[in-house]
Amino acid sequence: MEKEYLIREKPLKALLLFAFPMIIGNLFQQFYTMVDSVVVGRFVSENALAAVGASYSLTNVFISIAIGGGVGASVLVSRYFGARDYRRMKTSVSTALISFLVVSLVLGGIGLLLGDQIMEVLNTPENIMEDAVTYLNIYFMGLPFLFMYNVLSAMFNALGKSRIPLYLLIFSSVFNVALDLIMVCSFHMGVAGVAWATLIAQGISAVMAFLIFIREMAGYQTGEKIRWFDKREFGFMCRIALPSILQQSTVSIGMMLVQSVVNSFGAQMLAGYSAGMRIESICIVPMAAMGNVMSSFTAQNLGAKQQERVVKGYHTAYGIVFGFGILLCVILEIFYRPLILMFLGEEGTALALNTGMSYMRFIGFFFSFIGLKMITDGLLRGAGDMKMFTVANLVNLGIRVAVAVTMAPRFGIAFVWYAVPMGWLANYLISFARYKTGIWKTTGRG
């Protein structure tokens, strides 16, 4: 069946067929926040760029929770799909949607109540505090749409339908760009304008995704009545989703914890760092996508009792991530200056420009590290083998925070990014050691 290509096609073809729509889709998702930064940086001010960047690490945590939760929940959906148990598949889907709707409402409410205090804890410079809080509050109002879309996107991917979220993202990203330009250039709404543009575009995309998914589910006949919320499925889902959320959030949580260090260097360095982080987030997309691909590939093939096919797929993924890593390194080493100028413009300060360029020139050599981390973590997550997976990601987080917090204030902001590949590599080595034991072949539910 066409729907089962992850368990039937040759691993290279299956992985690439699944990965490319997801990569393009994730690029468009990153496009949301990148356009916000470009528009305010070029058409408002460098301080406006710093204000959006000041909350970037925090907003990325919520994006990571949504993506991690969706990917974790989709592992069960993938496994039931591979086993053709459509009744339990539908029950898992509805349980996930209800659970994450509640989570998004709770997190959004807490964020709106504590937004000012959060930005103060992050040592946000006083001259950009008001704009930073404004952007963050509007973002919190849109959390239910963010969660709905990302969970539904993961469910589409679990069914091998990765093109559907791609088409929705293309539509909403183009719409978001248009709204950004209208609200900032025509209505002069500044930072609030780009925040409202993102909320509106993401909301429309989430509603469209929900309607399409309902129609898709109707095509899988169960012959039995499904339960809208199942405590047993919720428990299984949490066992996989919570470590998955931790894994997806590790980089973002680390960024948030070191954000106060970056903020202490002032608005100009923060603006340059923010520009560099936006570019890094784009570069990580193919690596994160490969990790999510390995998760679905592993879950479906374990559901179909094809353990050795998972091993072949994992070895194939190495070649893919190394290819991406080399390409990204070449691009950044050649185009680092125009990429940073895209955010800051020629009128940007020399300090902001040099900060962003230094970050890009260093980190470009190490994207293969996060690729190796992502595919190994993805395999363990897809197998439901979460113990060392969680330890590895905590070590990653600990290294990033410890080096940045202890070294950057003494020796300069560059130690914020020196810590990044150290954490990625340590994470990979721990996860790979777990993979080599072969325990993952018998864990989880099958």
Side-chain angles (χ1 to χ4, degrees):
M1 294 174 63
E2 182 183 353
K3 295 178 181 179
E4 298 178 342
Y5 65 89
L6 283 179
I7 59 178
R8 298 188 181 277
E9 295 284 357
K10 290 182 179 180
L12 179 62
K13 182 179 179 181
L15 291 172
L16 291 178
L17 277 174
F18 195 55
F20 275 114
M22 188 183 296
I23 289 170
I24 296 170
N26 288 346
L27 285 172
F28 274 98
Q29 187 165 49
Q30 289 293 337
F31 201 47
Y32 271 114
T33 53
M34 189 183 80
V35 168
D36 288 352
S37 296
V38 170
V39 170
V40 296
R42 297 298 295 271
F43 299 109
V44 184
S45 68
E46 190 175 278
N47 279 348
L49 171 60
V52 174
S55 61
Y56 174 66
S57 60
L58 180 61
T59 59
N60 236 31
V61 170
F62 291 103
I63 292 173
S64 297
I65 292 172
I67 294 175
V71 170
S74 73
V75 167
L76 290 182
V77 176
S78 290
R79 188 161 296 184
Y80 294 144
F81 179 78
R84 299 182 183 178
D85 188 348
Y86 298 139
R87 183 187 65 81
R88 296 182 76 178
M89 181 184 80
K90 288 188 174 184
T91 298
S92 293
V93 167
S94 62
T95 299
L97 288 173
I98 292 170
S99 301
F100 285 106
L101 175 61
V102 173
V103 169
S104 68
L105 291 171
V106 171
L107 290 177
I110 293 173
L112 286 170
L113 288 173
L114 301 178
D116 292 77
Q117 292 89 329
I118 292 171
M119 297 313 293
E120 289 176 5
V121 169
L122 293 177
N123 291 327
T124 305
E126 189 65 34
N127 61 329
I128 63 171
M129 175 68 79
E130 184 178 350
D131 278 344
V133 172
T134 296
Y135 183 85
L136 193 60
N137 285 342
I138 297 170
Y139 181 88
F140 281 131
M141 286 189 277
L143 273 189
F145 295 128
L146 172 72
F147 272 70
M148 180 190 296
Y149 175 79
N150 280 286
V151 172
L152 287 171
S153 180
M155 297 304 175
F156 280 123
N157 292 333
L159 303 177
K161 298 282 187 177
S162 56
R163 292 184 181 181
I164 294 176
L166 167 61
Y167 298 147
L168 289 170
L169 272 172
I170 291 174
F171 160 76
S172 58
S173 296
V174 172
F175 188 42
N176 184 48
V177 172
L179 287 177
D180 273 342
L181 293 173
I182 291 170
M183 292 188 173
V184 172
C185 299
S186 298
F187 296 161
H188 307 290
M189 294 175 64
V191 168
V194 295
W196 280 113
T198 298
L199 187 153
I200 294 168
Q202 205 160 55
I204 292 173
S205 179
V207 172
M208 291 174 65
F210 181 74
L211 295 176
I212 294 170
F213 191 77
I214 293 296
R215 187 183 67 181
E216 185 69 28
M217 283 290 96
Y220 297 96
Q221 301 299 321
T222 62
E224 303 176 58
K225 186 177 181 180
I226 68 166
R227 299 182 64 178
W228 291 107
F229 187 88
D230 188 287
K231 292 182 179 178
R232 186 165 174 263
E233 293 297 334
F234 178 73
F236 288 132
M237 195 175 298
C238 286
R239 192 177 69 185
I240 298 175
L242 291 177
S244 178
I245 288 171
L246 175 63
Q247 185 268 337
Q248 292 283 343
S249 302
T250 295
V251 173
S252 300
I253 292 172
M255 285 162 47
M256 185 179 71
L257 293 175
V258 302
Q259 185 76 56
S260 59
V261 177
V262 177
N263 290 348
S264 69
F265 285 90
Q268 291 182 9
M269 280 195 175
L270 174 56
Y273 176 76
S274 298
M277 283 302 304
R278 299 299 193 192
I279 297 167
E280 182 196 324
S281 68
I282 296 292
C283 294
I284 287 174
V285 162
M287 305 308 187
M290 284 305 303
N292 293 339
V293 167
M294 275 307 304
S295 185
S296 292
F297 183 86
T298 300
Q300 284 198 22
N301 281 284
L302 289 181
K305 311 298 183 184
Q306 298 183 139
Q307 287 90 344
E308 291 310 309
R309 180 174 164 83
V310 176
V311 175
K312 291 179 181 178
Y314 178 61
H315 292 162
T316 301
Y318 267 72
I320 297 174
V321 298
F322 275 121
F324 280 129
I326 293 170
L327 178 62
L328 290 169
C329 182
V330 171
I331 290 172
L332 290 184
E333 287 304 304
I334 295 174
F335 298 109
Y336 62 91
R337 182 180 177 86
L339 286 171
I340 296 297
L341 284 174
M342 179 176 65
F343 292 86
L344 299 174
E346 293 291 348
E347 66 278 6
T349 61
L351 184 57
L353 180 62
N354 289 333
T355 301
M357 290 194 302
S358 297
Y359 188 14
M360 286 297 90
R361 297 201 70 183
F362 173 79
I363 204 67
F365 289 98
F366 299 102
F367 285 116
S368 292
F369 285 9
I370 194 171
L372 297 176
K373 157 193 150 46
M374 288 291 189
I375 61 172
T376 310
D377 283 351
L379 185 150
L380 296 178
R381 181 176 60 234
D385 186 5
M386 311 305 286
K387 186 175 181 180
M388 292 309 296
F389 168 104
T390 305
V391 171
N393 281 277
L394 286 174
V395 170
N396 178 9
L397 175 61
I399 289 173
R400 292 195 63 173
V401 173
V403 174
V405 171
T406 60
M407 304 299 285
R410 293 182 179 182
F411 303 108
I413 194 173
F415 276 86
V416 170
W417 49 85
Y418 290 168
V420 175
M422 295 168 59
W424 290 344
L425 181 60
N427 187 326
Y428 163 67
L429 292 175
I430 295 170
S431 293
F432 181 74
R434 179 65 172 184
Y435 161 78
K436 290 296 288 183
T437 67
I439 294 173
W440 58 270
K441 295 180 181 180
T442 57
T443 54
R445 303 180 65 221

